Amino acid sequence: MERVFNFSAGPSSLPLEVLEKAAGELTCYKNSGMSVMEMSHRSKDYEEIIFKTNSMFYELMNIPDNYKVLFLQGGASTQFAMVPLNLYGKNMKADYVVTGQFAGKAQAEGSKFGEARIVASSKDKTFSYIPKLTAADFSKDADFAHITLNNTIYGTRYNYIPDTGSVPLVADISSCILSEKLDVSKFGLLYAGAQKNIGPAGLTVVIIREDLIGNPLSITPTMLDYSVHANNDSMYNTPPTYSIYMCGLILEWIKNLGGVDAIEKINIEKAGILYNYLDESKLFKGCAEKEDRSIMNATFVTGNPELDDKFVKEAKANGFVNIKGHRSVGGMRASIYNAMPIEGVKKLVEFMKKFEIENK
Ligand SMILES: *Cc1c(COP(=O)(O)O)cnc(C)c1O
């Protein structure tokens, strides 16, 4: 069967070139005589893979030297707990901005260990926008502030980085990591599950400023203590070896495209094609406020749930799969991460135009 255009929100499509390269070395990696899956994580061959992948993060994201890049497991959802366990300090207070379901889950975990104040929320309008926040909205005595930079389910993204003064800003960047330029120095901690934009499931990437490592709450389990992973080059225990290898191949692919500058340009172009059509369409309507639209996840509806279902079904039959909106919101969502080619978006829009004419 031919490959489809896969608009899944995650796990999501991977660059074909990368899959083919991995397939080529699946049974025998270079001169090792074995698959990466079969290697000891302490072997020379594997060390080379993990260290190279780590250094490519610094290079591509322009990460300052006083940050550590950690390769963990448990998904972004484990970070919802790991962040407060490690970052609550003497005040035991944190500020959370709730812009969607994942942001809400992060806040709920934060409230288990300390005072997790909700600074602002966009729940009043089904999370269709991002609140505009200034330094005055955040508490001076918070140990950290938490935001979700791109809201995968609702299709919104921050078009600015909130100023939290000296309070470390933590951001969940699961669905936008390496999709556009990001000034890492503005954050205390960034985290992302790999399965949206940078690899298969199983790997969680954490980028943390060094001064935030090493003061976990006393109840923190060993595996949830950042210092344990930082002090052991992410190999305290067995890391998700194959997912890290795949992530490395994807970073190499991004680098060969011209780095984050180049991928950002492509991503803006892709999102523009889809949003321009949504804005002129008489049938489809975008769900997010224009200025807060995500360039990774585009959410839209026809206004008629039956017609939405019909669209999703016909789209699938025509090779555009996983375009149904999140089960909690309905409608449609096209996730157009780094690996989605421009051609996929153009063909989807062509198909939508045809559907619009047929369903006037
Ligand atoms: C998918 C997603 C999550 C959940 O990630 P898991 O790796 O499944 O735990 C959290 N936050 C955001 C923004 C996401 O897109």
Side-chain angles (χ1 to χ4, degrees):
M1 183 182 169
E2 236 181 280
R3 277 175 64 82
V4 292
F5 288 116
N6 178 7
F7 294 87
S8 169
S12 28
S13 65
L14 296 168
L16 180 59
E17 272 169 75
V18 167
L19 292 173
E20 283 171 344
K21 169 135 202 223
E25 26 190 59
L26 182 71
T27 57
C28 185
Y29 177 76
K30 293 188 178 167
N31 291 319
S32 70
M34 63 181 81
S35 167
V36 172
M37 275 183 264
E38 302 170 300
M39 269 178 202
S40 161
H41 56 295
R42 312 274 178 209
S43 65
K44 269 262 154 331
D45 279 320
Y46 194 73
E47 276 196 346
E48 203 180 284
I49 292 171
I50 192 169
F51 291 145
K52 187 172 168 220
T53 304
N54 196 282
S55 70
M56 269 195 295
F57 271 102
Y58 284 89
E59 186 185 333
L60 288 172
M61 292 182 73
N62 208 1
I63 301 173
D65 289 341
N66 62 325
Y67 285 74
K68 282 266 191 282
V69 176
L70 308 177
F71 297 142
L72 309 179
Q73 302 189 56
S77 302
T78 297
Q79 293 309 305
F80 297 165
M82 202 160 166
V83 165
L85 282 168
N86 285 266
L87 266 55
Y88 271 132
K90 58 181 189 309
N91 296 328
M92 296 299 285
K93 279 186 189 168
D95 284 348
Y96 281 83
V97 184
V98 177
T99 50
Q101 277 187 33
F102 293 120
K105 285 181 175 171
Q107 189 273 337
E109 288 295 283
S111 70
K112 288 187 178 168
F113 313 109
E115 192 185 323
R117 185 172 82 111
I118 299 176
V119 175
S121 164
S122 49
K123 197 173 177 192
D124 58 336
K125 291 185 182 161
T126 344
F127 300 117
S128 58
Y129 71 103
I130 299 291
K132 286 176 190 55
L133 300 164
T134 67
D137 292 305
F138 293 93
S139 326
K140 291 220 160 30
D141 64 347
D143 295 316
F144 65 92
H146 181 282
I147 62 170
T148 310
L149 207 61
N150 185 78
N151 296 279
T152 324
I153 296 175
Y154 302 93
T156 62
R157 93 174 199 290
Y158 284 77
N159 58 21
Y160 71 103
I161 297 173
D163 174 10
T164 56
S166 60
V167 174
L169 180 60
V170 175
D172 179 351
I173 56 168
S174 293
S175 47
C176 59
I177 185 169
L178 282 162
S179 66
E180 60 181 331
K181 290 188 287 289
L182 186 65
D183 183 353
V184 174
S185 73
K186 292 217 155 68
F187 299 87
L189 191 154
L190 295 162
Y191 64 87
Q195 70 274 18
K196 312 269 161 73
N197 230 350
I198 52 166
L203 168 65
T204 311
V205 176
V206 170
I207 301 164
I208 181 171
R209 215 173 61 207
E210 280 168 353
D211 61 286
L212 298 173
I213 302 175
N215 286 300
L217 301 184
S218 59
I219 59 161
T220 305
T222 305
M223 277 296 288
L224 300 188
D225 178 347
Y226 290 123
S227 71
V228 168
H229 299 284
N231 294 337
N232 290 283
D233 293 325
S234 301
M235 288 188 281
Y236 169 74
N237 72 326
T238 317
T241 51
Y242 198 76
S243 294
I244 293 168
Y245 155 77
M246 286 297 294
C247 177
L249 293 186
I250 286 161
L251 299 195
E252 220 168 74
W253 173 79
I254 294 175
K255 192 174 155 177
N256 291 337
L257 280 177
V260 178
D261 282 336
I263 204 101
E264 173 180 293
K265 234 177 108 202
I266 299 168
N267 286 333
I268 289 172
E269 186 181 344
K270 283 188 311 197
I273 293 168
L274 188 47
Y275 287 128
N276 284 343
Y277 167 62
L278 286 174
D279 288 342
E280 72 186 34
S281 168
K282 297 207 165 48
L283 180 67
F284 297 103
K285 183 175 166 294
C287 301
E289 282 296 323
K290 276 189 192 175
E291 59 178 352
D292 300 326
R293 281 171 167 172
S294 166
I295 59 169
M296 294 283 97
N297 313 97
T299 50
F300 54 96
V301 292
T302 63
N304 171 354
E306 275 167 30
L307 202 52
D308 287 352
D309 285 347
K310 184 174 180 220
F311 175 76
V312 170
K313 225 166 117 193
E314 288 185 15
K316 185 175 173 193
N318 282 274
F320 308 99
V321 311
N322 289 319
I323 210 148
K324 196 173 164 65
H326 188 269
R327 60 190 185 279
S328 65
V329 288
M332 278 75 72
R333 170 178 54 180
S335 294
I336 49 175
Y337 298 119
N338 288 350
M340 175 58 64
I342 287 191
E343 188 205 352
V345 179
K346 284 186 179 159
K347 290 207 164 137
L348 173 66
V349 168
E350 268 170 43
F351 174 74
M352 289 169 78
K353 284 182 178 165
K354 187 167 150 271
F355 185 87
E356 178 166 356
I357 292 167
E358 290 167 359
N359 291 274
K360 261 212 267 249

